[in-house]
Amino acid sequence: MLDQLKYIDGITIIDTSGTILFTIKFNPRFHTEIDENEKIIGQNLFSAFPLLEERTSTLFKVMKTGKPIFRAKQSIVDFRGTEKETTNVSLPIKAHGKIIGSIELSKDISQAEHFPHSVIEIDSSSFDSKQLKTKINPERAVYSFEDIVTNDEVMTQLKESARKFASGDSSVFLYGETGTGKELFAHAIHNESKRSLKPYITQNCAALPESLIESILFGTKRGSFTGAEDNPGLFELADGGTLFLDEINSMPIHLQAKLLRVLEDGYIRRLGDTKLRKVDVRIITASNIHPAQCVRDGNLRQDLYYRLGVMTLAIPPLRERKKDIPLLVDYFISKLNKSHNKNIAHISRNSLEVLLSYDWPGNVRELENVIEYALNQADSCEDTLQYIHLEQQIKHLLDVQQSFSSTKVKPLKDEIANLEKARIEQAILLTRGNVSKAARMLEIPRQTLQNKMNQYGID
């Protein structure tokens, strides 16, 4: 069938919801109902092509059945009522064994006899789009160190360290507040490494129920539980490449022990299987809490951290590198101008001063959201972001921050009492109930300790 497609007139790619991720037509007669300049990427297939139905759409059929459709001829009717004959190849797109979309190659054969020599070569650069790679090839890191924008000395040193880390195979532990750019560093390390052409798999450990994490990480054997099939886990899918585990401190402790064994011997066993499988995977992990704190809180095994934290990067929050804010603002304006059809070239001084005075608890991600909000408020004829474009969003963020702060702060006497109780309980535990030894440890009289134990109800 593919041999019959000496050339094609159009390509369409959709996801499972029917959203158009990519479309291109090479023949001006093909799909004339769409204006050449009209942007339909991001629209639903049936909004862009009202005469299509899910029942008759080959793009939807292949997603439902998981099998390709080859049709030598297919009749379609355009919005003018003109009947056309097309040759289509429709294929499902899979990732990790799951269908995530479909692609259709189409050739208009209605007037082929009138255009025997109208062959159009396809430029492969048409597909060299970061958006398309992100949507269709999720097993590939898309960011590099050039995407980590900074003027800050600490961040510059971190980038240099990360570049050196990339050359080896040792595990890397990234920690920093939410939105600081941990995932960008993970992408960049993979892309700079010798594994860059191999799979890059990412999984947020907090996003999955405990009952599923083991099967997703290590895979399943058919019959191991009701409905189980032979499926590879993330380690097998990432073989030869990199596995990025975000919020590693959310992984259940018993699974951390299994992860430690994989790091030590390089073998995994699918759930319900007896067979060991060798894997070659580099692990990058991340946490928004300091790893030492994770260990103290009992959310991360100490021995596992020693294996994961061979090389550690502490990414500072945006409030500690405010010199980056003007640079990031320019970067986001340039990036968002294109997608929002705006022509912003500047930001007013008072607007920038407001941005510099804010603490950014959501870090770089929050800053990008604020700039995107401001661009949406600006008219297409404006070239400067003014405070009026930011005002409502900044006020909203300050209200949220104030509300959050007010719920977190307790009266000082209560905080002191809680700390005092915790320290007394710790001393009693360490001395195995010996009040005299505990009093000496706390450097207070025995009678004072006894009174406080009665006050706090400590046995």
Side-chain angles (χ1 to χ4, degrees), residues 49-181:
F49 303 96
L51 294 173
L52 276 180
E53 297 178 6
E54 186 171 336
R55 176 177 55 85
T56 58
S57 168
T58 51
L59 282 164
F60 268 83
K61 283 183 180 178
V62 296
M63 287 194 292
K64 187 174 182 180
T65 64
K67 298 178 181 179
I69 293 177
F70 303 100
R71 286 193 174 172
K73 280 190 178 183
Q74 181 181 16
S75 296
I76 61 171
V77 179
D78 67 18
F79 81 115
R80 296 187 179 90
T82 304
E83 187 172 335
K84 294 181 179 180
E85 291 285 340
T86 64
T87 298
N88 297 336
V89 175
S90 305
L91 305 166
I93 301 172
K94 293 184 179 181
H96 310 160
K98 181 181 178 182
I99 293 174
I100 61 168
S102 58
I103 179 171
E104 186 167 83
L105 313 178
S106 303
K107 181 173 80 168
D108 179 12
I109 59 173
S110 308
Q111 304 179 41
E113 65 276 12
H114 302 302
F115 300 90
H117 303 297
S118 57
V119 177
I120 300 175
E121 295 291 334
I122 301 174
D123 181 1
S124 61
S125 65
S126 302
F127 296 91
D128 190 22
S129 122
K130 189 172 286 187
Q131 178 193 23
L132 187 60
K133 287 177 182 175
T134 306
K135 294 283 187 180
I136 304 306
N137 191 1
E139 295 143 0
R140 186 169 181 81
V142 296
Y143 299 108
S144 67
F145 284 110
E146 285 66 39
D147 293 304
I148 302 174
V149 178
T150 186
N151 271 331
D152 181 75
E153 185 177 343
V154 173
M155 282 291 287
T156 301
Q157 291 175 354
L158 284 177
K159 285 177 66 173
E160 289 306 308
S161 295
R163 284 183 189 274
K164 294 175 183 176
F165 292 174
S167 62
D169 276 331
S170 301
S171 301
V172 179
F173 196 109
L174 307 167
Y175 71 90
E177 295 178 8
T178 300
T180 49

Side-chain angles (χ1 to χ4, degrees), residues 354-355 358 360-362 366 369-370 373-374 377 387-405:
V354 169
L355 297 180
Y358 183 57
W360 301 107
E366 185 180 22
N369 291 342
V370 168
Y373 173 89
Q377 295 299 308
Y387 178 65
I388 191 172
H389 302 135
L390 301 162
E391 185 176 13
Q392 290 303 315
Q393 185 71 348
I394 291 293
K395 285 182 177 178
H396 169 71
L397 292 174
L398 289 171
D399 288 344
V400 170
Q401 189 177 25
Q402 180 63 36
S403 173
F404 181 74
S405 299

Side-chain angles (χ1 to χ4, degrees), residues 424-435 438 449 453 459:
I424 291 172
E425 288 175 334
Q426 183 181 30
I428 293 294
L429 184 65
L430 291 172
T431 58
R432 298 184 178 181
N434 189 313
V435 178
L449 175 57
M453 289 173 64
D459 185 1

Side-chain angles (χ1 to χ4, degrees), residues 198-261:
K198 298 295 184 177
Y200 172 84
I201 307 291
T202 180
Q203 179 61 57
N204 187 316
C205 297
L208 293 171
E210 184 175 337
S211 59
L212 291 179
I213 294 180
E214 184 172 3
S215 60
I216 287 174
L217 282 177
F218 305 115
T220 56
K221 177 179 171 58
R222 185 171 186 173
S224 57
F225 55 87
T226 304
E229 296 291 339
D230 287 323
N231 283 319
L234 297 185
F235 273 94
E236 287 181 73
L237 293 171
D239 191 26
T242 303
L243 177 59
F244 174 51
L245 298 174
D246 199 4
E247 297 195 57
I248 184 66
N249 51 307
S250 297
M251 180 181 288
I253 291 293
H254 75 278
L255 285 183
Q256 292 185 23
K258 293 189 176 183
L259 177 58
L260 180 61
R261 284 199 295 272

